Amino acid sequence: MTSYLGGALGVMGGIYTAGGISGAHMNPAFSLAMCLIEQFPWWKFPIFVAVQIVGSFIAAGAVYVVYYDAIWHHSNGTLTVTGPQETASIFATYPADFVSIGNGFLDQVIGTGVLIIVVMGIMDPRNKPVPKGLEPVVVALLVLSIECSMGANCGCPLNPARDIGPRLFTYLAGWGPEVFSRGNGWWWVPLVAPLLGAAVGTYLYQLFVAFHYPEEKSEALAEQGSIVLVNTAISSADIGRSPKERDSGETEPAGYPPPQSPSSTVSPTVPITTLKES
């Protein structure tokens, strides 16, 4: 439970830190979902996945350095992947002894599908809005709930990069090739199943939720807290009109706005781009 809580809080911190720059794409499954709904360009997908894996690899290295003494003390001087003194599961996920490959694969498809469905509901401005600034907290609670309810089978990876990056680190750091052979070659399941789950979750949300929204005007989206910024090129005829006139059609008193100063260097033919709330 403690590790699940730490992971969920880590997701929250990552979103707060990088959400404004990259959209906080920490999971290839999420990146794939955004590509499928045309909110993210396909050409960026392999780049983001590569960076996500490298980031996970580096994070695993940081964990190893911080807990170096504890890892070697617990393992009694031998880095193992199985047995009571194994430490490989600190970094990557492995299925429980009673879980088959098929059951684990289905587990990850369903778990990641649920994750993507709810994340899309959180992101959808036509749905019940999350108070602005609290989206990372809600996503963290979502991750925590999935991990607590579905983590018993295989540790609930839900994220291909989060699994393969640390797995590669343990392979190189001394745990050896058994990190790929344990669990009847489990390693490929956290790579493939979450991506399939992301696709399934994306299309289920579109089919059962997004498809059923009526045509909404911008005023309705604004009432739900969604601000749409529109780039508008203003013609030379509009330069002499105030923003209020351009938006509402109302007329300002004569002499408004004041005439341009002769020293002004702005040409009336230069297109000006504004952001209009619609």
Side-chain angles (χ1 to χ4, degrees):
M1 176 63 184
T2 302
S3 62
Y4 291 156
L5 179 60
L9 293 176
V11 169
M12 181 183 69
I15 298 175
Y16 272 125
T17 302
I21 299 298
S22 66
H25 285 231
M26 297 178 287
N27 187 342
F30 174 76
S31 299
L32 175 63
M34 293 301 98
C35 289
L36 292 174
I37 60 174
E38 300 181 354
Q39 296 297 310
F40 190 68
W42 280 101
W43 69 266
K44 287 186 178 181
F45 179 69
I47 300 173
F48 270 55
V49 171
V51 173
Q52 289 158 359
I53 293 174
V54 171
S56 297
F57 184 93
I58 295 172
V63 171
Y64 180 74
V65 170
V66 170
Y67 289 100
Y68 180 85
D69 291 339
I71 290 171
W72 283 95
H73 173 75
H74 178 76
S75 63
N76 198 24
T78 304
L79 299 178
T80 59
V81 182
T82 58
Q85 293 179 309
E86 67 86 14
T87 48
S89 60
I90 295 173
F91 300 90
T93 62
Y94 297 91
D97 294 337
F98 54 82
V99 176
S100 65
I101 290 291
N103 192 181
F105 190 95
L106 181 62
D107 174 284
Q108 283 307 286
V109 170
I110 294 175
T112 311
V114 170
L115 174 68
I116 295 301
I117 288 173
V118 181
V119 166
M120 286 195 165
I122 294 170
M123 294 172 55
D124 193 341
R126 299 167 297 181
N127 213 321
K128 295 293 184 181
V130 175
K132 186 174 179 60
L134 291 181
E135 296 91 341
V137 177
V138 177
V139 173
L141 291 174
L142 167 64
V143 171
L144 179 61
S145 66
I146 295 175
E147 289 179 335
C148 289
S149 60
M150 300 185 65
N153 278 341
C154 50
C156 215
L158 303 176
N159 184 336
R162 168 258 177 276
D163 195 85
I164 192 61
R167 195 180 300 274
L168 289 170
F169 175 82
T170 53
Y171 172 75
L172 297 174
W175 279 266
E178 194 178 355
V179 300
F180 292 102
S181 61
R182 179 181 165 185
N184 295 319
W186 162 262
W187 68 273
W188 64 271
V189 175
L191 283 179
V192 178
L195 295 176
L196 178 59
V200 171
T202 298
Y203 290 120
L204 285 179
Y205 186 84
Q206 300 304 308
L207 178 63
F208 292 107
V209 180
F211 179 77
H212 299 280
Y213 283 121
E215 289 290 334
E216 291 192 19
K217 297 181 180 180
S218 58
E219 291 82 6
L221 291 177
E223 288 177 0
Q224 294 180 342
S226 176
I227 297 178
V228 182
L229 300 179
V230 180
N231 290 330
T232 305
I234 302 178
S235 65
S236 59
D238 285 335
I239 291 181
R241 305 173 64 197
S242 71
K244 182 177 179 181
E245 283 186 86
R246 290 195 298 268
D247 292 341
S248 63
E250 297 179 10
T251 305
E252 296 288 351
Y256 183 89
Q260 280 189 332
S261 169
S263 62
S264 174
T265 58
V266 179
S267 170
T269 61
V270 176
I272 300 175
T273 302
T274 62
L275 294 176
K276 179 178 71 176
E277 180 177 335
S278 61

